[in-house]
Amino acid sequence: MLGFFMKLSPAARIAAVILLVYVAVALSGPLWAPYSFNAVLTGGPFEPPSTAHLLGTDNLGRDVLSRVVYGSRPVLAMALSATGLATLVGAALALPLVLQGGLADEIGMRILEILASVPPLVLALLLISGLGNGNILIVLAVAFLFAPRIARVVRAAAMAVVVEDYVTAALTRGEAMWSIAVREMLPNVAGTILVEFAIRCGFAVVFIGALGFLGFGAAPPAPEWGLMINEGRANINASLWPVLAPAAAMAVLVVAINLFTEGLARAIGDAPGTAP
Amino acid sequence: MLRLVVTRTAFALVSLVIVSALIFWCVEWLPGDAASRILGRDATPEVLALLRHKLHLDLPGPVRYLQWLGGAVRGDFGTSLAANQPVLDYVWSRAANTTELAGFVLLLYTPLSIGLGIWTAVSRGRAVDHVASILVILGMCVPEFVVGIVLIVIFAMTLHWFPPLALIDRAHSIGSVLSMLFLPAMTLTIAMTAYAVRMMRENLIEVLDSGYVQMARLKGLPRWRVLVRHALHSALGPALNVTALNIAWLMGGIIVVETVFSFPGLGRLLIDAIDLKDVPVVLAVSLLLTVVYIFCNLLADIAVLLLNPKLRHAG
């Protein structure tokens, strides 16, 4: 673990530390946050930063710092679970297809391509407005959008592995498909999957934030950063803090994820994807 | 080559039809149907049934999908439930606004990304390159709505150079339209340019290190000539590819940025129509955005095919 950390570039090491801080804040926040996220009138509305309210208060006199701290919980939980689910599904679809080859692979690949040709935000908005905007539904919607895109990346990596002798040997031995996929191929595409997972985590944070900002994410008074930015926007003339604090929290998180991903990719020896 | 392009195009069309069915199916889930929305809560079951019949809502889903698709192909998207006018007229004026915005974005994006891409590649390892790479990371990572709000805080609220909202329907002169468009256009340009600069830089560096560029340099050709004649030529494919992908990305970007600046374009229309459960408008806008998205992804693929000599002569 420590050895791997030392292999990272300095920028990626700083990013890793920042990410650990975010995780620590999300886990321990409720223990030390000065106020509850929805306690109103902890001070007057739009108070500037003070010792009582380090990041000021919002229009309802809620403590901005506490809300930003609590807000790290849904964003991390949702981004990680959506990306994790999408990666799991993507890999589980791609590896058997590549092993199978032939017509099954061709058809599967085409279906994945079609699913990946929907503008993600448009489909997410339609899905959420139809199904409802519970956190679990948002996670499922994001996973549904990401899974085919991840599957394509995993498939491309697996194509290079499937022609290796050890896979041919396993096939000749008559091993079961799942066993070859998991024991022979997975270890050799794990690096690609890990990097893809990390890249997508960054996308997921932005994507879920955008849904909250557009009013398609968590409902008020949830301490969700995108939602907080949208709510604070209406009163931006009265105070900048309710907008800038969650915006900065989100921006730093995404930048840290991306820097860490680049370092990770370089340490594993795999170029990071550059397409949006 | 031609065969590859034709297959890709045909496949894009098939994808479009399937995706349009997916969109239609999603919109079906919107709570309450059009008839109950038009008539309100007090409608009697008889009147509801009558209107459902008139609107063909009593037909099965697949039949209605085919009717809708048939209309859409002929440019008939039905009547907006909220505005009570043909969807097409309604969508068209918003699409014109969004096209203006996108045009302005491309006007800023093209010179910026080419200029910065070349500059960072030739000054690799120097201070300019390091500063640029930090800006590129920021531009790529920071969400559009955060960038937009920061631009509003700096350029509208503090410096008062540009208006904070882009309500271009109320603008009267070209000057005021341009000043309203500037901040939203800049927000979109920042994200797109960041991707393009990164891509151009990586590609140019690869080309600049290649044998034939070294050769041209050793022949004693002037630096700018090597750059323009040899290096830029091979960077063209990747640049077109990333630009097409960027325009495809815009189909989501405009939804967010138009909301930030209250810009009366397609993205904002989609959000408003979903709020109002205006099904025909939701369908029309979603389909329009999907068409552009799929078309741009197709162009990106073709750009790679056309400009890669190995693939150009295949198939």
Side-chain angles (χ1 to χ4, degrees), chain A residues 120-148:
Chain A
L121 194 55
V122 174
L123 192 66
L125 293 179
L126 295 180
L127 282 173
I128 290 166
S129 59
L131 297 173
N133 58 352
N135 283 352
I136 293 180
L137 287 171
I138 293 174
V139 166
L140 290 178
V142 174
F144 175 72
L145 290 164
F146 282 8

Side-chain angles (χ1 to χ4, degrees), chain B residues 238-268:
Chain B
L240 281 180
N241 173 267
V242 74
T243 301
L245 290 177
N246 264 327
I247 299 175
W249 170 84
L250 260 185
M251 297 308 108
I254 54 165
I255 298 178
V256 175
V257 172
E258 289 183 0
T259 302
V260 173
F261 292 94
S262 303
F263 180 84
L266 278 181
R268 194 59 228 166

Side-chain angles (χ1 to χ4, degrees), chain B:
Chain B
M1 179 63 221
L2 189 67
R3 224 186 60 198
L4 263 176
V5 173
V6 170
T7 347
R8 290 284 166 104
T9 312
F11 183 69
L13 287 175
V14 173
S15 312
L16 182 59
V17 172
I18 295 174
V19 171
S20 73
L22 187 64
I23 288 173
F24 191 85
W25 185 50
C26 284
V27 174
E28 292 276 283
W29 290 337
L30 284 179
D33 71 355
S36 52
R37 250 169 268 139
I38 294 173
L39 293 172
R41 236 180 288 167
D42 305 329
T44 61
E46 294 80 28
V47 182
L48 262 177
L50 205 66
L51 187 64
R52 280 204 182 110
H53 183 68
K54 210 182 129 215
L55 294 172
H56 306 296
L57 289 176
D58 49 352
L59 297 172
V63 176
R64 275 181 296 124
Y65 166 69
L66 289 178
Q67 281 182 342
W68 171 72
L69 193 67
V73 170
R74 282 177 278 119
D76 173 19
F77 287 93
T79 311
S80 158
L81 302 180
N84 207 11
Q85 52 170 316
V87 171
L88 200 63
D89 301 355
Y90 198 50
V91 170
W92 217 235
S93 66
R94 298 299 196 90
N97 288 345
T98 294
T99 312
E100 267 176 44
L101 176 62
F104 197 16
V105 168
L106 288 180
L107 219 60
L108 295 169
Y109 159 84
T110 313
L112 263 179
S113 43
I114 294 177
L116 287 174
I118 295 176
W119 194 26
T120 50
V122 295
S123 49
R124 167 175 31 152
R126 277 191 247 147
V128 187
D129 186 32
H130 292 309
V131 174
S133 72
I134 294 171
L135 291 179
V136 161
I137 295 260
L138 286 178
M140 284 193 338
C141 300
V142 180
E144 312 88 85
F145 50 97
V146 172
V147 173
I149 287 171
V150 169
L151 290 183
I152 289 180
V153 169
I154 297 174
F155 293 102
M157 291 172 57
T158 315
L159 297 171
H160 301 289
W161 288 356
F162 300 100
L165 298 179
L167 304 159
I168 60 164
D169 286 354
R170 297 189 208 153
H172 299 297
S173 66
I174 292 200
S176 65
V177 168
L178 285 182
S179 91
M180 280 182 180
L181 280 179
F182 187 79
L183 289 184
M186 209 56 221
T187 308
L188 292 166
T189 304
I190 286 174
M192 287 169 55
T193 305
Y195 277 105
V197 167
R198 184 191 169 107
M199 184 101 167
M200 289 244 347
R201 179 184 173 277
E202 273 169 25
N203 260 290
L204 267 179
I205 284 179
E206 201 174 300
V207 175
L208 288 174
D209 287 346
S210 68
Y212 69 93
V213 170
Q214 303 275 340
M215 179 66 207
R217 234 184 240 157
L218 288 173
K219 271 196 313 197
L221 288 182
R223 239 173 93 107
W224 62 269
R225 217 157 142 214
V226 176
L227 199 64
V228 173
R229 288 284 295 276
H230 296 273
L232 278 186
H233 187 77
S234 6
L236 188 64
L240 281 180
N241 173 267
V242 74
T243 301
L245 290 177
N246 264 327
I247 299 175
W249 170 84
L250 260 185
M251 297 308 108
I254 54 165
I255 298 178
V256 175
V257 172
E258 289 183 0
T259 302
V260 173
F261 292 94
S262 303
F263 180 84
L266 278 181
R268 194 59 228 166
L269 180 60
L270 179 64
I271 301 280
D272 291 343
I274 290 177
D275 279 345
L276 294 168
K277 315 254 179 276
D278 193 343
V279 171
V281 176
V282 174
L283 284 173
V285 177
S286 308
L287 186 69
L288 196 56
L289 294 178
T290 306
V291 167
V292 179
Y293 186 84
I294 291 182
F295 178 70
C296 288
N297 278 310
L298 174 67
L299 279 186
D301 279 356
I302 292 181
V304 174
L305 285 179
L306 279 181
L307 292 144
N308 183 337
K310 254 188 239 156
L311 293 172
R312 204 185 300 152
H313 300 295

Side-chain angles (χ1 to χ4, degrees), chain A residues 72-100:
Chain A
S72 62
R73 297 164 69 86
V75 75
L76 287 181
M78 288 168 75
L80 284 174
S81 49
T83 320
L85 184 62
T87 311
L88 218 63
V89 172
L93 285 174
L95 291 180
L97 281 182
V98 172
L99 264 178
Q100 196 73 47

Side-chain angles (χ1 to χ4, degrees), chain A:
Chain A
M1 192 68 193
L2 195 68
F4 179 73
F5 185 77
M6 297 318 287
K7 263 171 76 182
L8 294 172
S9 64
R13 275 187 229 166
I14 297 171
V17 172
I18 294 175
L19 292 179
L20 285 179
V21 171
Y22 269 83
V23 172
V25 166
L27 291 176
S28 68
L31 299 176
W32 52 264
Y35 302 90
S36 161
F37 65 86
N38 60 0
V40 295
L41 289 177
T42 59
F46 305 122
E47 274 184 20
S50 63
T51 45
H53 302 282
L54 288 176
L55 294 176
T57 59
D58 69 2
N59 58 334
L60 299 175
R62 293 176 295 194
D63 182 54
V64 172
L65 174 68
S66 304
R67 285 178 66 71
V68 171
V69 166
Y70 272 94
S72 62
R73 297 164 69 86
V75 75
L76 287 181
M78 288 168 75
L80 284 174
S81 49
T83 320
L85 184 62
T87 311
L88 218 63
V89 172
L93 285 174
L95 291 180
L97 281 182
V98 172
L99 264 178
Q100 196 73 47
L103 192 63
D105 182 38
E106 184 72 21
I107 293 173
M109 180 64 195
R110 294 287 167 228
I111 294 176
L112 291 177
E113 262 181 45
I114 290 172
L115 287 177
S117 69
V118 195
L121 194 55
V122 174
L123 192 66
L125 293 179
L126 295 180
L127 282 173
I128 290 166
S129 59
L131 297 173
N133 58 352
N135 283 352
I136 293 180
L137 287 171
I138 293 174
V139 166
L140 290 178
V142 174
F144 175 72
L145 290 164
F146 282 8
R149 293 171 164 86
I150 294 174
R152 290 171 69 184
V153 174
V154 176
R155 182 180 177 276
M159 292 295 271
V161 173
V162 77
V163 293
E164 295 284 348
D165 289 341
Y166 51 81
V167 177
T168 321
L171 282 169
T172 326
R173 282 199 302 272
E175 279 184 33
M177 276 301 176
W178 65 266
S179 143
I180 302 176
V182 173
R183 285 167 54 190
E184 309 292 338
M185 295 182 64
L186 192 59
N188 292 290
V189 291
T192 309
I193 294 180
L194 193 62
V195 170
E196 182 64 15
F197 172 78
I199 294 175
R200 291 282 161 190
C201 271
F203 288 175
V205 170
V206 175
F207 198 82
I208 292 169
L211 289 175
F213 177 79
L214 292 171
F216 285 74
E224 203 269 328
W225 291 341
L227 179 66
M228 287 166 69
I229 294 170
N230 194 26
E231 287 175 336
R233 209 163 57 102
N235 304 306
I236 198 165
N237 283 312
S239 174
L240 286 176
W241 294 94
V243 177
L244 289 191
M250 181 174 274
V252 172
L253 174 61
V254 183
V255 171
I257 293 177
N258 275 273
L259 287 178
F260 178 70
T261 306
E262 265 181 36
L264 183 71
R266 222 164 277 157
I268 293 179
D270 187 10
T274 45

